[in-house]
Amino acid sequence: MSIHPQLLHLIIALVITLAWVGINALVLVYLERKVAGFIQRRPGPFEAGPHGIIQALFDGVKLMCKQLLMPSGADPILYWMAPILSMLPVMLLFLVLPYGPTLTGMQVDLGVLLILAFAGFNVLALLLAGWASNNKYGLLGAGRAVAQSVAYEIPLLLSVLAIAFMTGSLDFVAITDGQGPWPWQWNLVYQPLAFIIFIISAVGETNRAPFDLPEAESELTAGFHTEYSGMGFGLFFLAEYGYMVVVSSVAAVLFLGGFQGPFGSDGWWWFIPKVYAIVLFIMWIRWTYPRVTFVQLLNINWKWLLPLATLNLLGTAFFMKVF
Amino acid sequence: MSAVKDIFQSVKDLWSLFVGLKVTGKYFLQPTVTVHYPRQTVDPEVEQTFGGHVELVPKPKNPAKPKCIGCMMCVTNCPSGCLTVVKAKAPKPTPEEEQAMKEAEARGEEVKKPKAPKEPAKFLYDYSLCSLCGTCIENCPVGSLQYSHNIYFVGTSRKDFKLDLLKRLERQAENAAKASGTAPKAETAEAASKEA
């Protein structure tokens, strides 16, 4: 009996993806703390290893060694399912990202759709976590997570749809090929409004500051994951950073020309820096703006992002039809 | 009309976001202002701006004695009750003096009993209770209290923060006398911890 080559390909891709998600989380935890430090003009992690390089690793080990607790009266199945449910789709999302012309875990014609569909899983996980915790803060956090994610999904979809209109495809590789290697050939130039809306919605969708209302640690004492300890919390954490890389990757593909580089030097060496530039920008945003209130959050979405995204989409459709 | 105004205002507000990004971006590139404490210490000038626990101000002529007159204004005004001042009592007359005083009284002369000196016998301070409000400093009529620059003050138990300020002042005066031969008092972490 021989293994189907495509299955083998998928398994290898999945293993690499797992490693990639883990490494990304380590790097991002370190990066986040360093960026926070530098913006506040302090060194950030410094003691563990040269310039605190292995601090993130120690953080991970600490998280894994902690006791797993469940509050009394909580729903055990849902309670433990939530962090896993939050983490699992992340693997799938990483599979379809095009790192290079041939370096894709699973090239599908509906890559964009797949990402958008499975990214929504996170909302379910947050809802379950908050609901099953038997904790008022958790429940409030879950409610806010749902209201926020549902709201921000719409302008996100509309801005992605504008790009899909331009390319006429939902395949990541096709979208990448639709753009040129140089910055003025990127979709960013043709769709600046969509890009801005996408970034804002992505920050809202990944529950990053200033839109980190579900876990608002000063008002909700960490919201939906108030009751989670050790790796239960760790998985949410890992998933958050996973999603952050995913949205940054999607943004890089849709707006920044993906893996394309000048002089035919396509490859992941162009893709990764673009992704990390966006990640750094999102971190920069986090340490600059104060958290918005929930009213402001919903106002920004329903009063600004949604109409603007709709106009942008209609405009794009009009231009695609006329020219 | 107001809708148009709103939109203009929103665009203006949007600009403020970029100003914020500019500020944090600038800070990102500037050198850090904190120090790695065990390996580095703060500059002496920076240390002078630090308002640490309350300490006594020495007399200009006698650095081992405080300016304090034991009026208890600091204790009365302290909201946290972290100061304990015991006034000095009048010196007890010796038996001969007592005898002399009795005799003088018997002769019908006016006797001058020895007065209590205007200084504290004890000046205890519990830093663990202090809120550093400075009310004691403001209310001291002779300016005998001030914030110390004791920046590296750590302890392993609550007892470490119960200070005898009179003894501390004496110790400081001794250290200063020792150091005066060599150099002006070096405000290092070690010296500060000794002072405390």
Side-chain angles (χ1 to χ4, degrees):
Chain A
M1 200 183 91
S2 64
I3 303 175
H4 196 279
Q6 207 171 2
L7 183 67
L8 196 67
H9 180 245
L10 209 60
I11 289 170
I12 292 171
L14 205 60
V15 170
I16 294 174
T17 299
L18 275 169
W20 173 234
V21 171
I23 291 167
N24 250 321
L26 282 186
V27 171
L28 288 184
V29 168
Y30 176 72
L31 208 62
E32 175 102 57
R33 292 178 63 178
K34 272 289 181 196
V35 167
F38 283 138
I39 281 179
Q40 293 162 358
R41 300 190 66 186
R42 56 187 174 80
F46 199 80
E47 299 300 326
H51 287 266
I53 277 182
I54 44 178
Q55 182 69 55
L57 200 67
F58 287 170
D59 286 349
V61 171
K62 187 199 83 175
L63 271 181
M64 278 179 232
C65 294
K66 275 187 163 179
Q67 188 187 2
L68 290 173
L69 292 170
M70 193 180 68
S72 63
D75 187 325
I77 298 170
L78 293 184
Y79 184 79
W80 293 119
M81 207 165 76
I84 298 167
L85 207 61
S86 175
M87 192 59 216
L88 275 185
V90 176
M91 313 293 163
L92 195 72
L93 301 184
F94 273 84
L95 269 186
V96 294
L97 295 175
Y99 297 97
T102 52
L103 191 64
T104 309
M106 186 172 74
Q107 198 190 332
V108 283
D109 292 342
L110 296 173
V112 180
L113 190 68
L114 188 140
I115 285 216
L116 290 172
F118 281 94
F121 248 74
N122 199 28
V123 189
L124 182 64
L126 301 194
L127 180 63
L128 282 185
W131 171 254
S133 290
N134 190 23
N135 176 311
K136 291 187 187 70
Y137 297 114
L139 191 59
L140 276 173
R144 284 155 72 126
V146 173
Q148 175 178 343
S149 292
V150 168
Y152 275 81
E153 196 108 312
I154 301 167
L156 188 89
L157 274 167
L158 292 179
S159 61
V160 171
L161 211 54
I163 299 295
F165 273 18
M166 280 183 68
T167 330
S169 170
L170 287 171
D171 183 3
F172 275 126
V173 178
I175 290 174
T176 309
D177 288 339
Q179 307 168 62
W182 298 99
W184 57 88
Q185 295 166 325
W186 292 346
N187 277 338
L188 174 63
V189 179
Y190 304 107
Q191 293 280 359
L193 189 59
F195 179 68
I196 293 168
I197 292 168
F198 184 88
I199 289 291
I200 296 174
S201 310
V203 171
E205 190 72 357
T206 48
N207 302 326
R208 296 274 307 174
F211 301 134
D212 56 343
L213 292 168
E215 57 164 274
E217 65 263 51
S218 47
E219 304 111 78
L220 292 181
T221 63
F224 64 89
H225 60 59
T226 304
E227 295 292 350
Y228 284 88
S229 64
M231 221 40 213
F233 165 75
L235 280 181
F236 283 123
F237 209 61
L238 216 59
E240 186 189 314
Y241 281 114
Y243 281 112
M244 200 167 132
V245 174
V246 169
V247 289
S248 302
S249 304
V250 173
V253 173
L254 294 182
F255 296 99
L256 302 183
F259 54 75
Q260 297 207 58
F263 311 116
S265 59
D266 301 354
W268 58 267
W269 45 87
W270 284 110
F271 186 71
I272 305 289
K274 283 173 186 174
V275 171
Y276 266 78
I278 296 172
V279 167
L280 272 176
F281 180 69
I282 292 177
M283 285 180 181
W284 186 9
I285 287 178
R286 167 167 185 184
W287 297 105
T288 302
Y289 303 141
R291 181 182 297 132
V292 296
T293 64
F294 207 79
V295 182
Q296 287 167 336
L297 174 97
L298 292 180
N299 272 350
I300 293 167
N301 181 64
W302 296 112
K303 285 190 183 171
W304 286 99
L305 294 185
L306 191 61
L308 282 176
T310 314
L311 276 179
N312 188 50
L313 184 67
L314 289 176
T316 311
F318 176 76
F319 274 101
M320 292 315 289
K321 194 75 188 163
V322 173
F323 301 106
Chain B
M1 203 53 210
S2 76
V4 178
K5 243 185 198 170
D6 278 355
I7 288 172
F8 268 111
Q9 188 58 43
S10 299
V11 172
K12 253 195 210 164
D13 292 348
L14 203 64
W15 180 247
S16 71
L17 296 181
F18 290 100
V19 175
L21 280 181
K22 207 178 105 191
V23 170
T24 47
K26 212 169 65 193
Y27 280 173
F28 184 86
L29 299 172
Q30 279 169 357
T32 56
V33 288
T34 56
V35 294
H36 303 302
Y37 166 58
R39 285 167 239 116
Q40 296 173 346
T41 48
V42 184
D43 288 340
E45 302 130 56
V46 177
E47 215 172 273
Q48 294 307 307
T49 63
F50 179 76
H53 64 76
V54 173
E55 69 176 4
L56 287 168
V57 179
K59 276 180 184 163
K61 282 180 186 163
N62 183 4
K65 287 276 172 217
K67 277 174 160 181
C68 177
I69 52 170
C71 67
M72 312 286 278
M73 281 302 277
C74 49
V75 180
T76 335
N77 284 296
C78 179
S80 338
C82 59
L83 288 166
T84 313
V85 177
V86 176
K87 287 183 185 175
K89 278 188 181 140
K92 239 192 170 182
T94 52
E96 292 95 63
E97 278 174 340
E98 220 168 328
Q99 192 63 35
M101 266 156 58
K102 266 186 188 170
E103 280 170 15
E105 223 165 80
R107 283 198 300 271
E109 285 174 27
E110 209 169 299
V111 179
K112 266 193 181 173
K113 279 188 179 168
K115 273 186 185 168
K118 284 187 175 171
E119 61 176 42
K122 262 186 192 171
F123 205 110
L124 301 178
Y125 169 60
D126 191 347
Y127 188 30
S128 64
L129 295 178
C130 182
S131 59
L132 292 172
C133 65
T135 313
C136 52
I137 294 169
E138 276 166 30
N139 283 294
C140 184
V142 290
S144 177
L145 287 167
Q146 65 182 14
Y147 287 125
S148 68
H149 308 307
N150 190 3
I151 198 167
Y152 305 107
F153 190 24
V154 289
T156 50
S157 92
R158 196 168 277 224
K159 273 186 208 155
D160 295 347
F161 297 104
K162 288 186 177 156
L163 305 176
D164 188 336
L165 291 184
L166 282 178
K167 286 225 175 95
R168 185 173 178 271
L169 197 68
E170 274 167 31
R171 232 178 12 247
Q172 264 178 340
E174 266 174 43
N175 287 342
K178 268 185 215 162
S180 63
T182 53
K185 201 174 68 173
E187 281 280 328
T188 58
E190 272 179 51
S193 61
K194 263 186 220 153
E195 276 169 26

